[in-house]
Amino acid sequence: MTKSGKLLTRARLMEQYEALFECPLCYGEIKVDEGKSLLCTNGHRFDLAKQGYVNMLTTPSKTKYDKRMFDGRKVMNEADFFEPMLNRLSEIVSQWQAVAHKPKVTLLDAGCGEGSHLSSLQEKVGRQVQEDVLGVGIDISKEGVLMAARNDDANLWCVADLAKCPFADGAFHVILNILSPSNYSEFDRLLSDDGVLIKVIPDRNYLTELRSVFYQEDDRREYSNEQTVELFDRSFELLEQERIRYSVRLNPVQLEHLVHMTPLSWGAADEQVRKVLEHDLQEITCDFTILVGRKKEIIR
Ligand SMILES: [Zn+2]
């Protein structure tokens, strides 16, 4: 497909779902204008970039996420590093849909990065529920969203601030928040009354092999996600909490990408990569907690 053809497809998809959007400056309604931009009723305009994403940040932002990190995450996704976790998430969404019976399921990935988690989930859920499923990915990092939009035409991608999401109240049936910070008041506003919030956080043994390379025995901090779970529980009604653990065999190239992907490597990444490769790690442990919640204080 030509570039302009791709852009047109994206503008059409946006048009189809324009009711999801809301102006982040004045909270006005938004329409797609001439297939080129999103325009609110008060004249605020957000152009569709040629790669097919929309930048809806109201103030410019610098993030510490870099391209190597996003490349790393994409490679890890392609290596099926997250596959068992994503399979479980798609089952949770499908089980929810089996009860909710929504005609057009809308997923928001809050903190989508380079988009591969959402792309994969939208595909899996779409196959399982036999309904139209739209994914909307937002991230404050333009680099991440740009990669997402380049790689995936089937979903919508926005550069946006989690604290000022450019979407209407109750716009989403499912909010995904995978290994990324939360904004519970925005999640509460954006989630439909019968929707679910699904948050994935690392558990104790996530990447334990890397930790043991990077930290000395005596200063190796025991990781606990207890506080994160408590905060979730205070903000949403916790319906389910489950742990998923597995290990993945990685080759040296994949290991290098893994190091770039993980926050553990921030700082002297090249040195870290060398150290990891020296240790000849065979398997890497994935250990996540999945939290599923719904809105509190709704009369059912
Ligand atoms: Zn506006």
Side-chain angles (χ1 to χ4, degrees), residues 107-157:
L107 315 175
L108 174 71
D109 186 1
C112 67
E114 40 58 71
S116 51
H117 291 330
L118 180 62
S119 295
S120 162
L121 276 170
Q122 185 260 355
E123 241 180 76
K124 288 177 196 296
V125 174
R127 273 200 305 271
Q128 286 163 12
V129 304
Q130 313 284 324
E131 277 295 344
D132 283 350
V133 177
L134 176 79
V136 179
I138 63 162
D139 203 286
I140 198 157
S141 162
K142 192 179 125 185
E143 292 73 23
V145 171
L146 196 147
M147 275 176 80
R150 264 201 197 125
N151 295 323
D152 177 330
D153 279 340
N155 297 292
L156 297 178
W157 307 98

CSV table of all heavy atoms in Angstrom, one decimal, residues 107-157:
chain,number,residue,atom,x,y,z
A,107,LEU,N,-10.0,-1.4,23.3
A,107,LEU,CA,-8.9,-1.7,24.2
A,107,LEU,C,-8.0,-0.4,24.2
A,107,LEU,O,-7.6,0.1,23.2
A,107,LEU,CB,-8.0,-2.8,23.8
A,107,LEU,CG,-8.6,-4.1,23.3
A,107,LEU,CD1,-7.5,-5.1,22.8
A,107,LEU,CD2,-9.4,-4.8,24.4
A,108,LEU,N,-7.7,0.1,25.4
A,108,LEU,CA,-6.7,1.1,25.5
A,108,LEU,C,-5.4,0.5,26.1
A,108,LEU,O,-5.5,-0.2,27.2
A,108,LEU,CB,-7.2,2.2,26.4
A,108,LEU,CG,-6.1,3.3,26.7
A,108,LEU,CD1,-5.9,4.2,25.5
A,108,LEU,CD2,-6.6,4.2,27.9
A,109,ASP,N,-4.3,0.7,25.5
A,109,ASP,CA,-3.0,0.3,26.1
A,109,ASP,C,-2.4,1.6,26.6
A,109,ASP,O,-1.9,2.4,25.8
A,109,ASP,CB,-2.1,-0.4,25.1
A,109,ASP,CG,-0.9,-1.0,25.8
A,109,ASP,OD1,-0.7,-0.8,27.0
A,109,ASP,OD2,0.0,-1.6,25.1
A,110,ALA,N,-2.4,1.8,27.9
A,110,ALA,CA,-1.9,3.0,28.6
A,110,ALA,C,-0.4,2.7,28.8
A,110,ALA,O,0.0,2.0,29.7
A,110,ALA,CB,-2.6,3.3,29.9
A,111,GLY,N,0.4,3.4,28.0
A,111,GLY,CA,1.9,3.1,28.1
A,111,GLY,C,2.3,2.1,27.1
A,111,GLY,O,2.9,1.1,27.5
A,112,CYS,N,1.9,2.2,25.8
A,112,CYS,CA,2.0,1.2,24.8
A,112,CYS,C,3.5,1.0,24.3
A,112,CYS,O,3.8,0.0,23.6
A,112,CYS,CB,1.1,1.4,23.7
A,112,CYS,SG,1.6,2.9,22.7
A,113,GLY,N,4.3,2.0,24.6
A,113,GLY,CA,5.7,1.9,24.1
A,113,GLY,C,5.7,1.8,22.6
A,113,GLY,O,5.0,2.5,21.9
A,114,GLU,N,6.5,0.8,22.0
A,114,GLU,CA,6.5,0.6,20.6
A,114,GLU,C,5.4,-0.3,20.1
A,114,GLU,O,5.4,-0.7,18.9
A,114,GLU,CB,7.9,0.0,20.1
A,114,GLU,CG,8.5,-1.0,21.0
A,114,GLU,CD,7.6,-2.3,21.2
A,114,GLU,OE1,7.4,-3.0,20.2
A,114,GLU,OE2,7.1,-2.5,22.3
A,115,GLY,N,4.4,-0.5,20.9
A,115,GLY,CA,3.1,-1.1,20.4
A,115,GLY,C,3.0,-2.6,20.3
A,115,GLY,O,1.9,-3.0,20.0
A,116,SER,N,4.1,-3.3,20.4
A,116,SER,CA,3.9,-4.8,20.1
A,116,SER,C,3.0,-5.6,21.0
A,116,SER,O,2.4,-6.5,20.6
A,116,SER,CB,5.3,-5.4,19.9
A,116,SER,OG,6.1,-5.2,21.0
A,117,HIS,N,3.0,-5.1,22.3
A,117,HIS,CA,2.0,-5.9,23.2
A,117,HIS,C,0.6,-5.7,22.7
A,117,HIS,O,-0.2,-6.6,22.6
A,117,HIS,CB,2.1,-5.3,24.6
A,117,HIS,CG,3.3,-5.6,25.3
A,117,HIS,ND1,4.1,-6.7,25.1
A,117,HIS,CD2,4.0,-4.9,26.3
A,117,HIS,CE1,5.2,-6.7,25.9
A,117,HIS,NE2,5.1,-5.6,26.7
A,118,LEU,N,0.2,-4.4,22.4
A,118,LEU,CA,-1.2,-4.2,22.0
A,118,LEU,C,-1.5,-4.8,20.6
A,118,LEU,O,-2.6,-5.4,20.5
A,118,LEU,CB,-1.4,-2.6,21.9
A,118,LEU,CG,-2.8,-2.2,21.5
A,118,LEU,CD1,-3.9,-2.8,22.5
A,118,LEU,CD2,-3.0,-0.7,21.3
A,119,SER,N,-0.5,-4.7,19.7
A,119,SER,CA,-0.8,-5.3,18.4
A,119,SER,C,-1.1,-6.8,18.5
A,119,SER,O,-2.0,-7.3,17.9
A,119,SER,CB,0.5,-5.2,17.5
A,119,SER,OG,0.7,-3.9,17.2
A,120,SER,N,-0.2,-7.5,19.3
A,120,SER,CA,-0.4,-8.9,19.6
A,120,SER,C,-1.7,-9.2,20.2
A,120,SER,O,-2.5,-10.1,19.8
A,120,SER,CB,0.8,-9.4,20.4
A,120,SER,OG,0.5,-10.6,20.9
A,121,LEU,N,-2.1,-8.4,21.3
A,121,LEU,CA,-3.3,-8.7,22.0
A,121,LEU,C,-4.6,-8.4,21.1
A,121,LEU,O,-5.5,-9.2,21.2
A,121,LEU,CB,-3.4,-7.8,23.2
A,121,LEU,CG,-2.6,-8.3,24.4
A,121,LEU,CD1,-2.5,-7.3,25.5
A,121,LEU,CD2,-3.4,-9.6,25.0
A,122,GLN,N,-4.5,-7.3,20.4
A,122,GLN,CA,-5.7,-7.0,19.5
A,122,GLN,C,-6.0,-8.2,18.6
A,122,GLN,O,-7.1,-8.5,18.3
A,122,GLN,CB,-5.5,-5.7,18.8
A,122,GLN,CG,-6.6,-5.2,18.0
A,122,GLN,CD,-6.5,-5.5,16.5
A,122,GLN,OE1,-5.5,-6.0,16.0
A,122,GLN,NE2,-7.5,-5.3,15.7
A,123,GLU,N,-4.9,-8.7,18.0
A,123,GLU,CA,-5.0,-9.9,17.1
A,123,GLU,C,-5.6,-11.1,17.8
A,123,GLU,O,-6.5,-11.7,17.3
A,123,GLU,CB,-3.6,-10.2,16.6
A,123,GLU,CG,-3.5,-10.1,15.1
A,123,GLU,CD,-2.1,-10.4,14.7
A,123,GLU,OE1,-1.7,-11.6,14.6
A,123,GLU,OE2,-1.3,-9.5,14.4
A,124,LYS,N,-5.0,-11.4,18.9
A,124,LYS,CA,-5.4,-12.6,19.7
A,124,LYS,C,-6.9,-12.5,20.1
A,124,LYS,O,-7.7,-13.4,19.9
A,124,LYS,CB,-4.6,-12.8,21.0
A,124,LYS,CG,-3.2,-13.2,20.7
A,124,LYS,CD,-2.4,-13.3,22.1
A,124,LYS,CE,-0.9,-13.4,21.9
A,124,LYS,NZ,-0.4,-14.6,21.3
A,125,VAL,N,-7.2,-11.3,20.7
A,125,VAL,CA,-8.6,-11.1,21.2
A,125,VAL,C,-9.6,-11.1,20.0
A,125,VAL,O,-10.6,-11.8,20.1
A,125,VAL,CB,-8.7,-9.8,22.0
A,125,VAL,CG1,-10.2,-9.6,22.4
A,125,VAL,CG2,-7.9,-9.9,23.3
A,126,GLY,N,-9.2,-10.5,18.9
A,126,GLY,CA,-10.0,-10.5,17.7
A,126,GLY,C,-10.4,-11.9,17.2
A,126,GLY,O,-11.5,-12.1,16.9
A,127,ARG,N,-9.4,-12.7,17.2
A,127,ARG,CA,-9.6,-14.1,16.8
A,127,ARG,C,-10.6,-14.8,17.8
A,127,ARG,O,-11.4,-15.6,17.4
A,127,ARG,CB,-8.3,-14.9,16.8
A,127,ARG,CG,-7.5,-14.8,15.5
A,127,ARG,CD,-6.5,-15.9,15.4
A,127,ARG,NE,-5.6,-16.0,16.5
A,127,ARG,CZ,-4.5,-15.4,16.6
A,127,ARG,NH1,-4.1,-14.6,15.6
A,127,ARG,NH2,-3.7,-15.5,17.6
A,128,GLN,N,-10.4,-14.5,19.1
A,128,GLN,CA,-11.2,-15.3,20.1
A,128,GLN,C,-12.6,-14.8,20.2
A,128,GLN,O,-13.5,-15.6,20.5
A,128,GLN,CB,-10.5,-15.2,21.4
A,128,GLN,CG,-9.2,-16.0,21.5
A,128,GLN,CD,-8.3,-15.7,22.7
A,128,GLN,OE1,-8.7,-14.9,23.6
A,128,GLN,NE2,-7.1,-16.2,22.6
A,129,VAL,N,-12.9,-13.5,20.1
A,129,VAL,CA,-14.3,-13.0,20.4
A,129,VAL,C,-15.2,-12.9,19.2
A,129,VAL,O,-16.4,-12.6,19.4
A,129,VAL,CB,-14.2,-11.7,21.2
A,129,VAL,CG1,-13.4,-11.9,22.5
A,129,VAL,CG2,-13.7,-10.5,20.4
A,130,GLN,N,-14.7,-13.0,18.0
A,130,GLN,CA,-15.5,-12.9,16.8
A,130,GLN,C,-16.3,-11.5,16.8
A,130,GLN,O,-17.4,-11.5,16.4
A,130,GLN,CB,-16.6,-14.0,16.8
A,130,GLN,CG,-16.1,-15.4,17.1
A,130,GLN,CD,-15.4,-16.0,15.9
A,130,GLN,OE1,-15.8,-15.7,14.7
A,130,GLN,NE2,-14.3,-16.7,16.1
A,131,GLU,N,-15.6,-10.5,17.2
A,131,GLU,CA,-16.2,-9.2,17.1
A,131,GLU,C,-15.1,-8.2,16.6
A,131,GLU,O,-13.9,-8.6,16.7
A,131,GLU,CB,-16.6,-8.7,18.5
A,131,GLU,CG,-18.0,-9.1,19.0
A,131,GLU,CD,-19.1,-8.6,18.1
A,131,GLU,OE1,-18.9,-7.6,17.4
A,131,GLU,OE2,-20.2,-9.2,18.2
A,132,ASP,N,-15.5,-7.0,16.2
A,132,ASP,CA,-14.5,-6.0,15.9
A,132,ASP,C,-13.8,-5.6,17.2
A,132,ASP,O,-14.4,-5.4,18.2
A,132,ASP,CB,-15.1,-4.8,15.3
A,132,ASP,CG,-15.5,-5.0,13.9
A,132,ASP,OD1,-15.1,-6.0,13.3
A,132,ASP,OD2,-16.2,-4.1,13.3
A,133,VAL,N,-12.5,-5.6,17.2
A,133,VAL,CA,-11.7,-5.2,18.3
A,133,VAL,C,-10.8,-4.1,17.9
A,133,VAL,O,-10.0,-4.3,17.0
A,133,VAL,CB,-10.9,-6.4,18.9
A,133,VAL,CG1,-10.0,-5.9,20.1
A,133,VAL,CG2,-11.8,-7.5,19.4
A,134,LEU,N,-10.9,-3.0,18.5
A,134,LEU,CA,-9.9,-1.9,18.2
A,134,LEU,C,-9.0,-1.6,19.4
A,134,LEU,O,-9.4,-1.5,20.5
A,134,LEU,CB,-10.7,-0.6,17.9
A,134,LEU,CG,-9.7,0.6,17.7
A,134,LEU,CD1,-9.2,0.6,16.3
A,134,LEU,CD2,-10.4,1.9,18.0
A,135,GLY,N,-7.7,-1.5,19.1
A,135,GLY,CA,-6.8,-1.2,20.1
A,135,GLY,C,-6.4,0.3,19.9
A,135,GLY,O,-6.2,0.7,18.8
A,136,VAL,N,-6.3,1.0,21.0
A,136,VAL,CA,-5.7,2.4,21.0
A,136,VAL,C,-4.5,2.4,21.9
A,136,VAL,O,-4.7,2.1,23.1
A,136,VAL,CB,-6.8,3.4,21.4
A,136,VAL,CG1,-6.2,4.8,21.4
A,136,VAL,CG2,-8.0,3.4,20.5
A,137,GLY,N,-3.4,2.8,21.3
A,137,GLY,CA,-2.2,2.8,22.2
A,137,GLY,C,-1.7,4.2,22.4
A,137,GLY,O,-1.7,5.0,21.5
A,138,ILE,N,-1.4,4.5,23.7
A,138,ILE,CA,-0.9,5.8,23.9
A,138,ILE,C,0.4,5.7,24.7
A,138,ILE,O,0.6,4.8,25.5
A,138,ILE,CB,-1.8,6.8,24.8
A,138,ILE,CG1,-2.1,6.2,26.1
A,138,ILE,CG2,-3.1,7.0,24.0
A,138,ILE,CD1,-2.7,7.2,27.1
A,139,ASP,N,1.3,6.6,24.4
A,139,ASP,CA,2.5,6.7,25.2
A,139,ASP,C,3.0,8.1,25.1
A,139,ASP,O,2.8,8.8,24.1
A,139,ASP,CB,3.6,5.7,24.6
A,139,ASP,CG,4.7,5.3,25.6
A,139,ASP,OD1,5.5,6.2,25.9
A,139,ASP,OD2,4.6,4.2,26.1
A,140,ILE,N,3.8,8.5,26.1
A,140,ILE,CA,4.3,9.9,26.1
A,140,ILE,C,5.5,10.0,25.2
A,140,ILE,O,5.9,11.1,24.8
A,140,ILE,CB,4.6,10.4,27.6
A,140,ILE,CG1,4.7,11.9,27.6
A,140,ILE,CG2,5.8,9.7,28.1
A,140,ILE,CD1,4.4,12.5,29.0
A,141,SER,N,6.1,8.8,24.9
A,141,SER,CA,7.3,8.8,24.0
A,141,SER,C,6.9,8.8,22.5
A,141,SER,O,6.3,7.8,22.0
A,141,SER,CB,8.1,7.6,24.3
A,141,SER,OG,9.0,7.4,23.3
A,142,LYS,N,7.3,9.9,21.8
A,142,LYS,CA,7.0,9.9,20.4
A,142,LYS,C,7.7,8.8,19.6
A,142,LYS,O,7.2,8.2,18.7
A,142,LYS,CB,7.4,11.3,19.9
A,142,LYS,CG,6.9,11.6,18.5
A,142,LYS,CD,7.3,13.0,18.0
A,142,LYS,CE,8.1,12.8,16.7
A,142,LYS,NZ,8.6,14.1,16.3
A,143,GLU,N,8.9,8.5,20.1
A,143,GLU,CA,9.7,7.5,19.4
A,143,GLU,C,9.0,6.1,19.4
A,143,GLU,O,8.9,5.4,18.4
A,143,GLU,CB,11.1,7.3,20.0
A,143,GLU,CG,12.0,8.4,19.9
A,143,GLU,CD,11.7,9.6,20.7
A,143,GLU,OE1,11.0,9.4,21.8
A,143,GLU,OE2,12.0,10.8,20.4
A,144,GLY,N,8.4,5.8,20.6
A,144,GLY,CA,7.7,4.5,20.7
A,144,GLY,C,6.4,4.5,19.8
A,144,GLY,O,6.2,3.6,19.1
A,145,VAL,N,5.7,5.6,19.9
A,145,VAL,CA,4.4,5.6,19.1
A,145,VAL,C,4.7,5.6,17.6
A,145,VAL,O,3.9,5.0,16.9
A,145,VAL,CB,3.6,6.9,19.6
A,145,VAL,CG1,2.4,7.1,18.7
A,145,VAL,CG2,3.1,6.7,21.0
A,146,LEU,N,5.7,6.3,17.2
A,146,LEU,CA,6.1,6.3,15.8
A,146,LEU,C,6.4,4.9,15.3
A,146,LEU,O,5.9,4.4,14.3
A,146,LEU,CB,7.3,7.2,15.7
A,146,LEU,CG,7.7,7.7,14.3
A,146,LEU,CD1,8.3,9.1,14.4
A,146,LEU,CD2,8.6,6.7,13.6
A,147,MET,N,7.1,4.1,16.1
A,147,MET,CA,7.4,2.7,15.7
A,147,MET,C,6.1,1.9,15.6
A,147,MET,O,5.9,1.1,14.7
A,147,MET,CB,8.3,2.1,16.8
A,147,MET,CG,9.8,2.3,16.6
A,147,MET,SD,10.8,1.6,17.9
A,147,MET,CE,10.8,-0.2,17.4
A,148,ALA,N,5.3,2.1,16.6
A,148,ALA,CA,4.0,1.4,16.7
A,148,ALA,C,3.2,1.7,15.4
A,148,ALA,O,2.7,0.7,14.8
A,148,ALA,CB,3.2,1.8,17.9
A,149,ALA,N,3.0,2.9,15.1
A,149,ALA,CA,2.2,3.3,13.9
A,149,ALA,C,2.8,2.7,12.6
A,149,ALA,O,2.1,2.4,11.7
A,149,ALA,CB,2.1,4.8,13.8
A,150,ARG,N,4.1,2.7,12.5
A,150,ARG,CA,4.8,2.1,11.3
A,150,ARG,C,4.5,0.7,11.2
A,150,ARG,O,4.3,0.2,10.1
A,150,ARG,CB,6.3,2.3,11.5
A,150,ARG,CG,6.8,3.5,10.8
A,150,ARG,CD,8.3,3.4,10.5
A,150,ARG,NE,8.8,4.7,10.2
A,150,ARG,CZ,9.8,5.3,10.8
A,150,ARG,NH1,10.5,4.7,11.8
A,150,ARG,NH2,10.1,6.5,10.5
A,151,ASN,N,4.5,0.0,12.3
A,151,ASN,CA,4.4,-1.5,12.2
A,151,ASN,C,2.9,-2.0,12.2
A,151,ASN,O,2.7,-3.2,12.0
A,151,ASN,CB,5.1,-2.1,13.5
A,151,ASN,CG,6.5,-1.9,13.4
A,151,ASN,OD1,7.2,-1.9,12.4
A,151,ASN,ND2,7.1,-1.6,14.6
A,152,ASP,N,2.0,-1.2,12.6
A,152,ASP,CA,0.6,-1.7,12.8
A,152,ASP,C,-0.4,-0.7,12.3
A,152,ASP,O,-0.6,0.4,12.8
A,152,ASP,CB,0.4,-1.9,14.3
A,152,ASP,CG,-1.0,-2.4,14.6
A,152,ASP,OD1,-1.9,-2.0,13.9
A,152,ASP,OD2,-1.1,-3.1,15.6
A,153,ASP,N,-1.2,-1.1,11.2
A,153,ASP,CA,-2.2,-0.3,10.6
A,153,ASP,C,-3.6,-0.6,11.2
A,153,ASP,O,-4.5,0.1,10.9
A,153,ASP,CB,-2.4,-0.8,9.2
A,153,ASP,CG,-1.3,-0.2,8.3
A,153,ASP,OD1,-0.8,0.9,8.7
A,153,ASP,OD2,-1.1,-0.7,7.2
A,154,ALA,N,-3.7,-1.6,12.0
A,154,ALA,CA,-5.0,-2.0,12.4
A,154,ALA,C,-5.5,-1.3,13.7
A,154,ALA,O,-6.7,-1.4,14.0
A,154,ALA,CB,-5.0,-3.5,12.7
A,155,ASN,N,-4.6,-0.6,14.3
A,155,ASN,CA,-5.0,0.1,15.6
A,155,ASN,C,-4.6,1.5,15.5
A,155,ASN,O,-4.0,2.0,14.5
A,155,ASN,CB,-4.3,-0.6,16.7
A,155,ASN,CG,-4.7,-2.1,16.9
A,155,ASN,OD1,-5.8,-2.3,17.2
A,155,ASN,ND2,-3.8,-3.0,16.5
A,156,LEU,N,-5.0,2.3,16.5
A,156,LEU,CA,-4.8,3.7,16.5
A,156,LEU,C,-3.7,4.1,17.5
A,156,LEU,O,-3.7,3.5,18.6
A,156,LEU,CB,-6.1,4.5,16.8
A,156,LEU,CG,-7.2,4.4,15.8
A,156,LEU,CD1,-8.4,5.1,16.3
A,156,LEU,CD2,-6.8,4.8,14.4
A,157,TRP,N,-2.8,5.0,17.2
A,157,TRP,CA,-1.7,5.3,18.1
A,157,TRP,C,-1.6,6.8,18.3
A,157,TRP,O,-1.6,7.6,17.4
A,157,TRP,CB,-0.4,4.8,17.4
A,157,TRP,CG,-0.5,3.4,17.0
A,157,TRP,CD1,-0.8,2.9,15.7
A,157,TRP,CD2,-0.3,2.2,17.9
A,157,TRP,NE1,-0.8,1.5,15.8
A,157,TRP,CE2,-0.6,1.1,17.1
A,157,TRP,CE3,0.0,2.1,19.2
A,157,TRP,CZ2,-0.5,-0.2,17.6
A,157,TRP,CZ3,0.1,0.8,19.7
A,157,TRP,CH2,-0.1,-0.3,18.9
